[in-house]
Amino acid sequence: MSAQHAGDLYGEMFLAAQEQAAKPSRLETWKKLWPGLAICGIASIAAAWLSEHYGAPIILMGLLIGLSLNFVTSDTRTHPGLDFASKACLRWGIVVLGTQVTLAQIVALGPVPFLALLMVMAAAMGAALLVARMTGASTAIGILAGGATAICGASAALALFGVLGGKRISQAQFALTLVVISMASALAMSFYPPLAGMMHLDDRQAGFLIGASIHDVAQAIGGGYAYSDVAGSYATIVKLSRVALLAPVVAVVSLIFTDEDAGQRHWIRKLAMPWFITLFLAVVVINSLVTIPPFVVHLNLTLSKALLLLAVTATAMRSRLDLVMQMGWRAAMPVVAATLASLLVATAFSMVIL
């Protein structure tokens, strides 16, 4: 071997060794993540305990506990773990949520109810965008509020926020949106079943109304079964059909709101969905083709809830409570408008078409 080639080989080996030394080990990475993850995990366990013993919505408990503990972010050692929980746990929670949906459930809904469901979702998003414009908020805030209300509450809000990003929506605005969505969903679960009874809706009509207008998955299903078993089954199909539409909605939003810092993207790159939404769709397809044992489906639902709870709690901890308090009632109005619009349109379709 010539001296020149030997020198080149030594240089490459030296650079490779430098890169390996600069790359942190897995143990060092977990040491950095541990403080934030530990605090977030303890807060999430507390939220789960309160939800189980007092019947409060678990996401709302995670939000409130996270906001009350936001002072922990003054210690920079918590930042890596909280960032990991708010991003990685969110994305994998969305992926695992795909195990709850099959294409057969959407087909079983039928063309007319499915079109009615699309109209309910469009009304929610349109109302949120309109009120956001009226209150001086940005289009991104309207899409966040409308999309979260139209699809599946906090889960959809987290997914949309992952696409829209902190440049368009502040952490304070996002935290307030999550709080209002969770509170609206809890109130809807309590009031919509009695409302359906007062209107003398049959089981199928009540199931559509509840499944099409309550934000959170668990609360929509719970509200349906609070009316009757038949209404609960139909509300489950309607609600999971909304969840399945998470992927196309997020894909359209990511196509419209391109990264401004990336310049002009290639059209193929612009059409690419976020990786976790692509995996969500893949899981839905696999779940539609392969029969998964019920205990595995239940386990995956628990895992998805746990990951999303960690993401919500970490996001709340990273939010400045003083900014949330300063935002005022106008910042909550897009969610309120979307909630009322979805209720009114779902009620009209359940009484006229079904």
Side-chain angles (χ1 to χ4, degrees), residues 121-135:
M121 296 175 64
M125 297 194 72
L129 285 168
L130 177 62
V131 173
R133 180 180 293 272
M134 291 172 60
T135 56

Side-chain angles (χ1 to χ4, degrees), residues 111-129:
V112 175
F114 184 73
L115 289 175
L117 180 61
L118 292 179
M119 293 297 293
V120 173
M121 296 175 64
M125 297 194 72
L129 285 168

Side-chain angles (χ1 to χ4, degrees), residues 53-289:
H53 286 77
Y54 295 99
I58 190 170
I59 294 296
L60 181 59
M61 291 297 98
L63 278 167
L64 296 178
I65 291 175
L67 287 171
S68 67
L69 293 176
N70 71 334
F71 62 86
V72 301
T73 56
S74 60
D75 189 339
T76 56
R77 291 176 298 175
T78 65
H79 291 182
L82 292 178
D83 289 342
F84 178 85
S86 62
K87 295 177 182 177
C89 291
L90 152 69
R91 291 164 180 170
W92 285 109
I94 296 294
V95 172
V96 177
L97 187 63
T99 60
Q100 309 304 308
V101 186
T102 65
L103 298 177
Q105 291 169 334
I106 302 174
V107 173
L109 187 62
V112 175
F114 184 73
L115 289 175
L117 180 61
L118 292 179
M119 293 297 293
V120 173
M121 296 175 64
M125 297 194 72
L129 285 168
L130 177 62
V131 173
R133 180 180 293 272
M134 291 172 60
T135 56
S138 65
T139 301
I141 291 173
I143 288 178
L144 174 69
T149 304
I151 304 171
C152 52
S155 304
L158 288 162
L160 288 168
F161 184 69
V163 172
L164 295 169
K167 291 182 180 179
R168 299 183 180 94
I169 301 173
S170 67
Q171 285 281 349
Q173 175 66 57
F174 179 55
L176 181 63
T177 301
L178 285 176
V179 169
V180 178
I181 285 174
S182 299
M183 292 179 65
S185 187
L187 291 172
M189 184 182 68
S190 301
F191 289 106
Y192 288 8
L195 178 63
M198 291 173 58
M199 292 187 294
H200 304 289
L201 301 181
D202 62 27
D203 292 333
R204 194 163 180 261
Q205 290 173 320
F208 180 85
L209 168 62
I210 293 169
S213 55
I214 295 182
H215 316 331
D216 183 73
V217 174
Q219 290 166 345
I221 295 172
Y225 279 104
Y227 192 86
S228 71
D229 289 344
V230 176
S233 299
Y234 198 74
T236 301
I237 295 172
V238 173
K239 183 60 190 177
L240 292 180
S241 298
R242 289 168 65 190
V243 175
L245 294 172
L246 173 66
V249 171
V250 173
V252 171
V253 172
S254 65
L255 181 63
I256 296 173
F257 289 87
T258 56
D259 188 358
E260 295 173 356
D261 295 333
Q264 185 67 31
R265 291 183 173 187
H266 191 272
W267 67 273
I268 295 178
R269 189 179 177 187
K270 287 182 68 176
L271 290 175
M273 291 187 295
W275 65 266
F276 60 95
I277 296 299
T278 304
L279 279 181
F280 170 83
L281 273 178
V283 171
V284 170
V285 172
I286 294 172
N287 192 34
S288 304
L289 300 175

Side-chain angles (χ1 to χ4, degrees), residues 257-328:
F257 289 87
T258 56
D259 188 358
E260 295 173 356
D261 295 333
Q264 185 67 31
R265 291 183 173 187
H266 191 272
W267 67 273
I268 295 178
R269 189 179 177 187
K270 287 182 68 176
L271 290 175
M273 291 187 295
W275 65 266
F276 60 95
I277 296 299
T278 304
L279 279 181
F280 170 83
L281 273 178
V283 171
V284 170
V285 172
I286 294 172
N287 192 34
S288 304
L289 300 175
V290 180
T291 301
I292 300 178
F295 78 93
V296 176
V297 175
H298 179 73
L299 181 64
N300 286 335
L301 178 60
T302 303
L303 176 60
S304 176
K305 285 183 178 179
L307 290 171
L308 293 173
L309 176 61
L310 286 168
V312 166
T313 306
T315 300
M317 286 184 180
R318 291 286 279 155
S319 304
R320 287 183 55 186
L321 188 57
D322 58 331
L323 293 181
V324 174
M325 298 297 292
Q326 290 174 10
M327 299 196 73

